[in-house]
Amino acid sequence: MVDDSKKAIDKEKIKSSIRLWLPISITTYTLPHSMEMYMQDVLTTFLSECHQEHMSIYLSYCLSELVTNAKKANTKWIYFKEKGLDINNEEDYETGMKTFKKDTLENIDYWLLTQKKEGLFVRLVLQEYKDKIKIEIHNNRELTVFEYKRIHDKLARARKYTSVDEVMSKILDPSEGAGLGIVIIILMLEKIGLTEENYQVISENGETITRIILPVNKESDTALKELSESFAENLEKIPVFQSKLNEIDTLLNDPAVTVPALSKKISKDISLSLIALQHVNSEMGIPCTSLPKAIETIGIEKLRTLYNQKNSMLRFISPLDDEGDLWEHSSRIAFYSYNLARNLASEDSVISEEIFIKGLLHDLGRVMYSTAAPEQMDHLTDVLKANNYPFTTLNSLAAGINHGHMGYCIAKKWGFPDDLCGSILYHHDPLYAPRSFSKSVAIVYIADMMSRYIEKSVDFYQIDKSILRQFNIITEEKFSKLANMAEEAFLKTR
C-alpha cells in the first residue's frame, strides 16, 4: 500500500536550507518504497551539497536500516495494542514477538493503515549546523526499557567484529543473525572514519530519535573561511547602481534638502546606506549604527563629495535581476525588522533605534560577493590555487555558504561597532549571539524567516521555535499573520 508518491528533488531548497542552517524534514506514515527512495535521493543530494558525497553509499544503507526499524517499531506498537498485550511488560513482549512477524506480514496493508490512523510517523531530519551534520530518524513511540537495553547490547557486540563480511556470515546463521543490522551500521560508520560515538539513540517525550552525527568537511570549512576573510581584506569599493546615485545627487543639490529627507531616501538602498555608514565609522572613526546620525555627522557638503560619481570608493554595477533581488531583500528585512521591533520589543528603545541597519546589512556578505569585480575573483582564484583548495569552494561562496562570516569580516574591516558586526555574523544563529545584542539578532532572524516563508523557500517547521517563543509567537497562524502584515506594509512603501 502506498500512501506517498515519490517527489522530485527540490535541490534549490536543499541548498537554501544548508546555507541558512535550517533542518530539512520528510515525514511518512507507512514508508512505501517510493518514499524510501525519495528519502535516499534527498540524503544523497544533501550530502553532496555538504561536500560529503563520499559517505553516500554507506549512509544510504544506514538510512534504509533505520527507517525500516522505525516503521517496524510503529507497527509493533499497534500490533501489541490490538492483541491486548502490554508492550512494556517483558513477558507480554516475548509472547507478542513470537507471532508479530508472521501476523503482520500476512496482512501488512491493514497494520500500516491502522498505524497511519493512529498518527504514527517515520520522519527523516537532515541539518548542517556550524561544525556538524545531523542525520536523524524520528518515530513517535518510545522504546521500552528492555528494547533500549538490547540496542546497547548490540552496540557492544559491534566491537567484536572487524568487517561487514564477518557480520553477513552470522546473519546467514539463524541462531545468531537477529539484530545484527545495528552492528553493520556501526561498521559502515567506521568505513567513513566515524565511531560508535557518532551514533546515538534517544527515547523520551513520546519519541525515539536515532541520530548519526557527522563532522563537516574540514578542508572545505577552512577554505570557505580563508577565502571569505581574503575577500573582505581585498574589498576596496562599494558597488552602487548609477540610477540610485543620480537620485541622491539630485536631492543633495536641492537647497531645501533636509537630513530626514536624505535619510529616508538613502535608507531604501543598502549601497547608498553603506557609503555613509562606512565613511563615518571607518574614515571618521565614530561608531555609528544610525543612518540619520551618520548623515548629520558627515554634513551635507561632505555628502555631496561622497555621493559624487567621481568618488574613488564607488564602483558602478549593472542592475542584474539576481543582484536586484538581494538589494530588495535587504530593504525588506530592514523594514520588517524595524516594524517587528516596534511591535515585539517596543519597551527597548535601543533595539528600535539600531534594528533597521542590522536588518539592512544582515546579508552584507552575499551582497558584496554577488557584485565582486573581476580582479576580486582573480584574487580569490589565486588564493585558492596557492592553498590547493577545491575549486568548488567558489561555488559554495556564490551559493551563500558562510556569508555571515564574510559579512562580519567586511563589517570589521570598515570599523562598524561590535554589535553590528556580531549581528551580521549571528543572523542565522541568534541563540549563540552575545546576550548584549541577542534580542535584536533574534528579531532580524524572524524577519528573514518571514520573508522566506512568504516566498515559500522556508516552511514553518524549519524555523527555530525557541526563538519564536521569546516573542510569544507560538502558532503558524500567528507567524503567518505577522508576516503578511509586514509584507503588505512593505509593498506600500515601494
Side-chain angles (χ1 to χ4, degrees), residues 98-289:
K98 290 177 182 177
T99 54
F100 167 72
K101 185 175 181 179
K102 177 178 179 297
D103 287 352
T104 53
L105 286 178
E106 286 178 351
N107 193 9
I108 189 62
D109 283 359
Y110 168 77
W111 296 106
L112 292 178
L113 180 61
T114 305
Q115 72 186 44
K116 181 179 181 180
K117 288 179 178 178
E118 289 280 346
L120 297 179
F121 60 74
V122 176
R123 178 174 295 147
L124 168 65
V125 179
L126 305 171
Q127 185 175 18
E128 179 175 5
Y129 183 75
K130 292 174 116 24
D131 59 348
K132 62 187 175 185
I133 297 167
K134 292 191 298 184
I135 301 173
E136 295 181 343
I137 306 299
H138 297 231
N139 68 290
N140 49 342
R141 197 219 120 208
E142 285 189 39
L143 294 169
T144 64
V145 172
F146 40 92
E147 283 177 321
Y148 199 80
K149 181 179 181 300
R150 287 180 184 182
I151 286 173
H152 283 275
D153 287 344
K154 291 167 188 174
L155 290 174
R157 288 180 68 187
R159 302 186 190 107
K160 299 190 305 181
Y161 297 98
T162 58
S163 72
V164 174
D165 289 341
E166 185 182 357
V167 179
M168 294 301 293
S169 69
K170 298 295 183 183
I171 288 177
L172 296 175
D173 180 353
S175 66
E176 295 197 48
L180 288 178
I182 291 178
V183 178
I184 296 179
I185 287 174
I186 299 303
L187 291 173
M188 289 287 187
L189 294 180
E190 288 179 357
K191 281 183 173 290
I192 51 179
L194 305 178
T195 69
E196 183 184 322
E197 298 297 317
N198 296 90
Y199 181 85
Q200 301 172 355
V201 179
I202 302 162
S203 192
E204 59 189 14
N205 301 320
E207 270 195 1
T208 297
I209 302 172
T210 306
R211 178 183 296 144
I212 297 174
I213 304 282
L214 312 174
V216 299
N217 186 311
K218 290 184 178 179
E219 181 186 20
S220 176
D221 191 49
T222 299
L224 279 170
K225 285 182 178 178
E226 182 159 342
L227 287 179
S228 295
E229 291 163 6
S230 185
F231 178 84
E233 184 181 346
N234 197 49
L235 183 65
E236 299 298 337
K237 298 187 178 184
I238 296 174
V240 64
F241 296 116
Q242 177 91 52
S243 60
K244 297 294 184 182
L245 197 66
N246 290 342
E247 291 174 12
I248 296 301
D249 186 55
T250 300
L251 193 58
L252 282 167
N253 285 302
D254 180 353
V257 68
T258 63
V259 168
L262 273 171
S263 179
K264 183 177 180 180
K265 187 70 174 178
I266 290 172
S267 68
K268 293 181 182 295
D269 185 275
I270 183 174
S271 290
L272 298 178
S273 299
L274 280 170
I275 293 169
L277 291 168
Q278 189 274 343
H279 183 79
V280 76
N281 281 281
S282 182
E283 303 303 323
M284 299 178 71
I286 301 173
C288 182
T289 57

Side-chain angles (χ1 to χ4, degrees), residues 73-119:
N74 289 346
T75 307
K76 190 189 301 181
W77 189 87
I78 292 295
Y79 178 79
F80 274 68
K81 181 181 178 181
E82 292 218 354
K83 293 294 181 181
L85 297 170
D86 182 1
I87 199 169
N88 291 297
N89 178 285
E90 193 162 10
E91 187 175 331
D92 277 7
Y93 186 84
E94 295 295 337
T95 299
M97 289 306 294
K98 290 177 182 177
T99 54
F100 167 72
K101 185 175 181 179
K102 177 178 179 297
D103 287 352
T104 53
L105 286 178
E106 286 178 351
N107 193 9
I108 189 62
D109 283 359
Y110 168 77
W111 296 106
L112 292 178
L113 180 61
T114 305
Q115 72 186 44
K116 181 179 181 180
K117 288 179 178 178
E118 289 280 346

Side-chain angles (χ1 to χ4, degrees), residues 276-277 280-281 284 288 290-299 303:
L277 291 168
V280 76
N281 281 281
M284 299 178 71
C288 182
S290 166
L291 195 54
K293 286 183 180 179
I295 291 171
E296 190 171 7
T297 300
I298 296 168
L303 285 170

